[in-house]
Amino acid sequence: MSCEVKLIAATADATRVVAAAAKLCYSASRASDLYDGLDADKVKNFLRQLRSVGHMSPFEHASFTFAIDGLSRVASHQLVRHRIASFSQQSQRYVTMGAPCAVVPDEIAKNPEATALFERAANESHAAYERLVAMGVPKEDARFILPHGWETSLVMTMNARELNHFFALRLCRRAQWEIRCLARKMLALVRESSPELFDPTGPSCVAEGRCREAHPCGQPYESVEALLVSDD
Amino acid sequence: MSCEVKLIAATADATRVVAAAAKLCYSASRASDLYDGLDADKVKNFLRQLRSVGHMSPFEHASFTFAIDGLSRVASHQLVRHRIASFSQQSQRYVTMGAPCAVVPDEIAKNPEATALFERAANESHAAYERLVAMGVPKEDARFILPHGWETSLVMTMNARELNHFFALRLCRRAQWEIRCLARKMLALVRESSPELFDPTGPSCVAEGRCREAHPCGQPYESVEALLVSDD
Amino acid sequence: MSCEVKLIAATADATRVVAAAAKLCYSASRASDLYDGLDADKVKNFLRQLRSVGHMSPFEHASFTFAIDGLSRVASHQLVRHRIASFSQQSQRYVTMGAPCAVVPDEIAKNPEATALFERAANESHAAYERLVAMGVPKEDARFILPHGWETSLVMTMNARELNHFFALRLCRRAQWEIRCLARKMLALVRESSPELFDPTGPSCVAEGRCREAHPCGQPYESVEALLVSDD
Amino acid sequence: MSCEVKLIAATADATRVVAAAAKLCYSASRASDLYDGLDADKVKNFLRQLRSVGHMSPFEHASFTFAIDGLSRVASHQLVRHRIASFSQQSQRYVTMGAPCAVVPDEIAKNPEATALFERAANESHAAYERLVAMGVPKEDARFILPHGWETSLVMTMNARELNHFFALRLCRRAQWEIRCLARKMLALVRESSPELFDPTGPSCVAEGRCREAHPCGQPYESVEALLVSDD
């Protein structure tokens, strides 16, 4: 079981906006003429150059908004630690948690006995929640008994600079599996929408060609493409 | 049951630093002479004036660091949404969750039947966690079954401007009870340490003398002191 | 003389994205179905309601990118103090400052004698710049002699929440004239693009119907429209 | 001529606060007991380890406040681009600029002819400022004619994580000389106050032992100590 992600909004013509903003820093042209002469090839070369010198601030002008469903609150608690981002999350204070709905980690799902144990416990927690609500306990208090793995939904916006940073941290094999899975889906979406803004991107093995982790996993990704189709 | 808070660090002489920084904006003195002539009375008047004109940026120069124990992950998930703050939180990926340890909301604690139900369910969830770990499930995955109300510990730093904002939002009777309780304890600590930086502070009923909520609770606090001793 | 502003990029369908994100917080629907049933009237009412309860975080999902020319470095120095924003600014380290090009404040422009004095001094400063460069001084050092009022160009991105905050501060008659002029042009552009996200907006006299300044100017704006056509 | 910097405030016992916060993430102890057993050696080793795995967030709990005089507005305009920082800056709207007071770059100061030219132009600009003010032009407008290199004073607060980032960018020989000079003085001060939080630190040649610039200068610093005594 894993989260679903949709790209619901993005800066129109994001790549050219980033290139134009970057060009302004070094050019005598006016901000309002910046698009003049910026053809696709120039844009591509320019963005590659920016990345190579670490001049990432122009990437902030492009924003991407995702709708995320089926993510556990374990993962959303990590996710909202990214402070250069905007979040709207379904509230358990206002929304009644209907049917049992916890994310089952693969390490549990692959073991039938563990799965049965997990699901029984999740169902019982949800039953306790419902009984507490029936007793008159406010749902904002009854939810304390729901599993931490309960599903949530969010709308999240990040700019392309922060996304590159997010992918560097969260696509590493050392990251928690669920947020990696989310990051992989996000990356597939933005690569479709604005490939030049995320080329290369990802953990240091892909983006820099060498691992910067203190304890390397020993299985560096060979390319962004390899990373995108990986399921471990 | 409720969280414990300690103030473990603060900017030394915080009030004077804030006053000196503010004075610099309007004065021809050098930054390095700013303390000259800043006696306690001048500092107090100056800070009151800053607040009255809404010039809050100098309050950012004073920082406060809190050690927080016994807060539920429900509340910590809300807490880390404050982006102008720094957090270090106990990781459930690395730390084994020993004895059952969920925060029991007052609305449950005051009802013996609800309490029994809650505690039984929390114990069973924890037993499931322990059995999953015994089966070889990584603890970062087993924790998905633990109640969302599980206790956590954090170290958190906020500056005095953000604290004033935090108190405005989180001390209102409309806020969630647990984060209100945390905010009240934080406020008591910083009022002891640097009273002038938080005078007045709190929800609009106290800080501005009139409620700015769309749906007023009808029970405005009369003063910061009243708010601090309130237990509802 | 005054700055020129163009809106060069914006979140597509910004208003609906904001409304959908806000709706998610209170609804049991999935993030990916959020647009269902969100017609123009519902969106409008919903946004008004959010504003009235101060729930501004969903406004962060909409971003706007401006190209700004002819702004003085005096004003850009103020502008970049807004930290929840992204900037790309023309560099005086890399770009040669050709013809004399300083912004002339109205208080000077309306007085022929002051104008003559200002322009002569600006021309002489620029002549000194050119002579220094000719002597081999790097342009990044020669620029120290250029007037602070020298024109600059920027690309700037802000989200709709920060824009509302920016308009509250910078459209007040107490704000510096040049940044007010910039803010007025930005407001006209975003009102055309996404009116519901900025209705109402501006200083407290317009947005809240009463002045929150310590020293009111005594000339409150009657409406956003009045503010937009005002030239003082 | 160069800026003067004083460290006017810092988090008390900053190093231990950072170590304690970091320890919390991996330990079952309570936040309020975190100092137990944290002796100087453990702290030192722990901080080194954090840095080596790139776990920099605990460094945010330590804050440092600087009083800065004699910095040009050219440099302060760059400086305030650091968004994870707090600034209070002397206002040219409210403070009259008395005697001529522009920072003279070394590239100019070392050439008597350039110096004479620069100083004459700076004096004339200031004379124009004074005449404009005498004519009734508000000082906030008259200042448009003052040189961009005019001196300013600031109070600035940064946390230790941002300081490490600041030193990485601004101590590189590729950075602008004036902000490098400022950074070097800041580093000397914080190394005296909390050496373990900045060991190593600085550009990639020092902090990582290899240059990450696209166009290396060819003169890597051998150590932080070498960097601190360098005057080029």
Side-chain angles (χ1 to χ4, degrees):
Chain A
M1 184 186 278
S2 70
C3 66
E4 287 168 41
V5 190
K6 263 174 78 172
L7 180 63
I8 61 168
T11 302
D13 215 2
T15 309
R16 274 177 87 219
V17 172
V18 172
K23 186 184 146 196
L24 176 65
C25 304
Y26 308 113
S27 123
S29 35
R30 297 172 69 78
S32 51
D33 301 338
L34 281 174
Y35 285 141
D36 299 357
L38 263 191
D39 63 33
D41 271 1
K42 277 203 188 141
V43 163
K44 207 169 171 176
N45 289 335
F46 199 30
L47 292 179
R48 193 160 298 160
Q49 206 180 326
L50 286 175
R51 196 183 289 278
S52 82
V53 299
H55 184 190
M56 295 298 288
S57 62
F59 287 76
E60 297 178 19
H61 298 294
S63 264
F64 297 85
T65 302
F66 305 88
I68 303 167
D69 286 309
L71 191 76
S72 77
R73 287 196 151 248
V74 166
S76 72
H77 199 324
Q78 281 175 43
L79 186 60
V80 300
R81 291 292 297 276
H82 287 270
R83 287 167 291 190
I84 306 180
S86 300
F87 300 96
S88 299
Q89 182 167 9
Q90 196 176 61
S91 167
Q92 289 182 329
R93 293 185 77 188
Y94 302 111
V95 180
T96 305
M97 299 293 107
C101 210
V103 171
V104 186
D106 280 352
E107 289 290 318
I108 291 172
K110 72 184 190 190
N111 175 339
E113 196 190 337
T115 306
L117 174 63
F118 184 90
E119 290 188 342
R120 197 168 49 243
N123 288 345
E124 278 167 15
S125 295
H126 185 251
Y129 168 84
E130 293 207 310
R131 259 173 292 148
L132 287 167
V133 171
M135 278 179 193
V137 171
K139 41 183 181 282
E140 75 170 64
D141 291 323
R143 69 171 152 167
F144 277 63
I145 201 59
L146 290 175
H148 203 344
W150 207 260
E151 283 190 6
T152 187
S153 295
L154 302 100
V155 170
M156 173 176 76
T157 298
M158 280 188 185
N159 67 46
R161 183 187 197 174
E162 179 65 12
L163 279 169
N164 273 289
H165 174 69
F166 182 77
F167 294 144
L169 294 181
R170 303 301 190 176
L171 286 170
C172 172
R173 290 187 205 264
R174 291 277 184 234
Q176 191 246 0
W177 64 269
E178 196 182 3
I179 207 162
R180 275 177 68 206
C181 172
L182 168 66
R184 207 185 286 126
K185 291 179 180 187
M186 287 166 54
L187 176 55
L189 291 165
V190 296
R191 291 266 293 187
E192 209 171 310
S193 153
S194 301
E196 300 88 350
L197 295 178
F198 306 96
D199 180 25
T201 196
S204 52
C205 52
V206 180
E208 306 179 34
R210 63 169 205 139
C211 180
R212 294 170 64 85
E213 285 290 301
H215 305 289
C217 68
Q219 299 172 276
Y221 290 114
E222 276 169 31
S223 64
V224 175
E225 289 70 25
L227 181 160
L228 281 170
V229 300
S230 154
D231 62 350
D232 63 338
Chain B
M1 187 187 276
S2 69
C3 66
E4 287 169 41
V5 190
K6 262 173 79 173
L7 180 63
I8 62 168
T11 302
D13 214 1
T15 308
R16 274 178 86 220
V17 172
V18 171
K23 184 182 147 198
L24 175 65
C25 304
Y26 308 113
S27 122
S29 35
R30 297 173 68 78
S32 52
D33 301 338
L34 281 174
Y35 285 141
D36 299 358
L38 262 192
D39 63 33
D41 271 2
K42 276 202 188 143
V43 163
K44 207 168 169 178
N45 288 335
F46 199 29
L47 292 179
R48 193 160 299 160
Q49 205 179 327
L50 286 176
R51 194 181 289 278
S52 81
V53 300
H55 184 191
M56 296 299 288
S57 62
F59 287 75
E60 297 178 20
H61 297 295
S63 264
F64 298 85
T65 302
F66 305 89
I68 304 168
D69 286 309
L71 191 76
S72 77
R73 286 197 152 249
V74 166
S76 72
H77 199 323
Q78 282 175 41
L79 185 60
V80 301
R81 292 291 297 276
H82 287 270
R83 287 166 291 189
I84 306 180
S86 300
F87 301 96
S88 298
Q89 182 167 11
Q90 194 175 63
S91 168
Q92 289 182 330
R93 293 185 77 188
Y94 302 113
V95 180
T96 305
M97 299 293 106
C101 209
V103 171
V104 186
D106 280 352
E107 289 290 316
I108 291 172
K110 73 183 189 191
N111 175 339
E113 197 191 336
T115 306
L117 174 64
F118 184 90
E119 290 188 342
R120 198 167 49 242
N123 288 345
E124 277 167 16
S125 296
H126 184 250
Y129 168 84
E130 294 206 311
R131 260 172 291 148
L132 288 166
V133 171
M135 278 179 195
V137 169
K139 42 181 179 284
E140 74 171 64
D141 291 322
R143 70 170 151 168
F144 278 62
I145 202 58
L146 290 175
H148 203 341
W150 207 261
E151 284 192 4
T152 187
S153 294
L154 302 101
V155 170
M156 173 176 76
T157 298
M158 281 189 185
N159 67 45
R161 184 188 196 173
E162 179 65 11
L163 279 169
N164 273 289
H165 174 69
F166 182 78
F167 295 144
L169 294 181
R170 303 301 191 176
L171 286 171
C172 172
R173 290 187 205 264
R174 292 278 183 233
Q176 190 245 2
W177 65 269
E178 196 182 3
I179 208 162
R180 275 176 68 205
C181 172
L182 168 65
R184 206 185 287 128
K185 290 177 181 186
M186 286 165 55
L187 176 56
L189 291 165
V190 296
R191 291 267 292 188
E192 208 172 308
S193 154
S194 301
E196 299 87 350
L197 295 178
F198 306 95
D199 180 25
T201 196
S204 51
C205 53
V206 180
E208 305 180 34
R210 61 168 204 141
C211 181
R212 295 169 63 85
E213 286 290 300
H215 306 290
C217 68
Q219 299 171 277
Y221 290 114
E222 277 169 31
S223 64
V224 176
E225 289 70 26
L227 181 159
L228 281 171
V229 299
S230 154
D231 62 352
D232 63 340
Chain C
M1 186 186 275
S2 70
C3 66
E4 287 169 40
V5 189
K6 264 174 77 173
L7 180 63
I8 63 168
T11 302
D13 215 1
T15 309
R16 274 177 86 219
V17 172
V18 171
K23 186 183 145 197
L24 175 66
C25 303
Y26 308 112
S27 123
S29 35
R30 297 172 70 77
S32 52
D33 300 339
L34 280 175
Y35 285 141
D36 298 358
L38 262 192
D39 62 32
D41 271 2
K42 276 202 189 143
V43 163
K44 207 167 169 179
N45 289 336
F46 199 29
L47 292 179
R48 192 159 300 160
Q49 206 180 326
L50 287 175
R51 195 183 290 277
S52 82
V53 300
H55 184 193
M56 295 299 289
S57 61
F59 287 76
E60 297 178 20
H61 297 294
S63 264
F64 298 85
T65 303
F66 305 88
I68 303 168
D69 286 307
L71 192 75
S72 76
R73 287 196 151 248
V74 166
S76 71
H77 198 325
Q78 281 175 42
L79 186 60
V80 301
R81 292 290 298 277
H82 287 270
R83 286 167 292 190
I84 306 179
S86 299
F87 300 96
S88 298
Q89 182 167 9
Q90 195 175 62
S91 167
Q92 290 182 328
R93 293 186 76 189
Y94 302 112
V95 180
T96 305
M97 298 294 107
C101 210
V103 171
V104 185
D106 280 352
E107 290 290 316
I108 291 172
K110 72 183 190 192
N111 175 340
E113 196 191 336
T115 306
L117 174 64
F118 184 89
E119 291 188 342
R120 197 168 48 244
N123 289 345
E124 278 166 15
S125 296
H126 184 252
Y129 169 83
E130 294 206 311
R131 260 172 291 148
L132 288 166
V133 171
M135 278 179 194
V137 170
K139 43 181 179 285
E140 76 171 63
D141 291 323
R143 70 171 151 167
F144 278 62
I145 201 59
L146 290 174
H148 203 342
W150 206 261
E151 283 191 4
T152 187
S153 294
L154 303 99
V155 171
M156 174 177 77
T157 298
M158 280 188 185
N159 67 45
R161 183 187 196 174
E162 178 64 12
L163 279 169
N164 273 289
H165 174 68
F166 182 78
F167 295 144
L169 294 181
R170 303 300 191 175
L171 286 171
C172 172
R173 289 187 205 264
R174 291 278 183 233
Q176 190 246 1
W177 65 268
E178 197 182 2
I179 208 162
R180 276 176 66 205
C181 171
L182 168 66
R184 208 185 286 127
K185 290 178 181 187
M186 288 166 53
L187 177 55
L189 290 165
V190 295
R191 291 266 294 186
E192 209 171 309
S193 155
S194 302
E196 300 87 351
L197 294 178
F198 306 96
D199 180 25
T201 197
S204 52
C205 52
V206 180
E208 305 180 36
R210 62 169 203 140
C211 180
R212 293 170 64 85
E213 286 290 301
H215 306 289
C217 68
Q219 299 171 277
Y221 290 114
E222 276 170 31
S223 64
V224 176
E225 289 70 25
L227 182 160
L228 282 170
V229 299
S230 153
D231 64 351
D232 63 338
Chain D
M1 186 188 277
S2 71
C3 66
E4 288 169 40
V5 190
K6 264 174 79 173
L7 180 63
I8 62 168
T11 302
D13 215 2
T15 309
R16 274 177 87 219
V17 172
V18 171
K23 185 182 147 196
L24 176 65
C25 303
Y26 308 113
S27 125
S29 36
R30 298 173 68 78
S32 51
D33 302 337
L34 282 174
Y35 285 141
D36 299 357
L38 263 191
D39 62 34
D41 271 1
K42 277 203 188 143
V43 163
K44 207 169 170 176
N45 289 336
F46 198 29
L47 292 179
R48 194 160 297 161
Q49 205 180 325
L50 287 174
R51 196 182 289 276
S52 82
V53 299
H55 184 192
M56 295 300 288
S57 62
F59 287 75
E60 297 177 20
H61 297 294
S63 264
F64 297 85
T65 303
F66 305 89
I68 304 168
D69 287 307
L71 192 75
S72 77
R73 287 196 152 247
V74 166
S76 72
H77 198 322
Q78 281 175 42
L79 186 61
V80 300
R81 292 291 296 278
H82 287 270
R83 287 167 292 190
I84 306 179
S86 300
F87 301 97
S88 299
Q89 182 167 10
Q90 194 176 62
S91 167
Q92 289 182 329
R93 292 186 76 188
Y94 302 113
V95 180
T96 305
M97 298 293 107
C101 208
V103 171
V104 186
D106 279 353
E107 289 290 316
I108 291 172
K110 73 184 188 190
N111 175 338
E113 196 191 337
T115 305
L117 174 64
F118 184 90
E119 290 188 342
R120 199 169 45 243
N123 288 344
E124 277 167 15
S125 296
H126 184 251
Y129 169 83
E130 294 207 311
R131 259 172 292 146
L132 288 166
V133 171
M135 277 179 195
V137 170
K139 41 182 182 281
E140 75 171 62
D141 292 322
R143 70 172 151 166
F144 278 62
I145 201 59
L146 290 175
H148 204 343
W150 206 260
E151 284 191 4
T152 187
S153 295
L154 302 101
V155 170
M156 174 177 77
T157 298
M158 281 187 183
N159 67 45
R161 183 187 196 173
E162 179 65 12
L163 279 170
N164 273 289
H165 173 69
F166 181 79
F167 294 143
L169 294 181
R170 304 300 191 176
L171 286 171
C172 172
R173 289 188 205 265
R174 290 278 183 232
Q176 190 246 1
W177 64 269
E178 196 182 2
I179 208 163
R180 277 176 67 204
C181 172
L182 168 65
R184 207 185 287 127
K185 291 179 180 185
M186 287 165 55
L187 177 54
L189 290 165
V190 295
R191 292 266 293 187
E192 209 172 309
S193 154
S194 301
E196 300 86 351
L197 295 178
F198 306 95
D199 179 25
T201 195
S204 50
C205 52
V206 180
E208 304 179 36
R210 61 166 206 142
C211 180
R212 294 170 63 85
E213 286 289 301
H215 306 290
C217 68
Q219 300 171 276
Y221 290 114
E222 276 170 32
S223 64
V224 175
E225 288 70 25
L227 182 159
L228 281 171
V229 299
S230 153
D231 61 352
D232 63 339

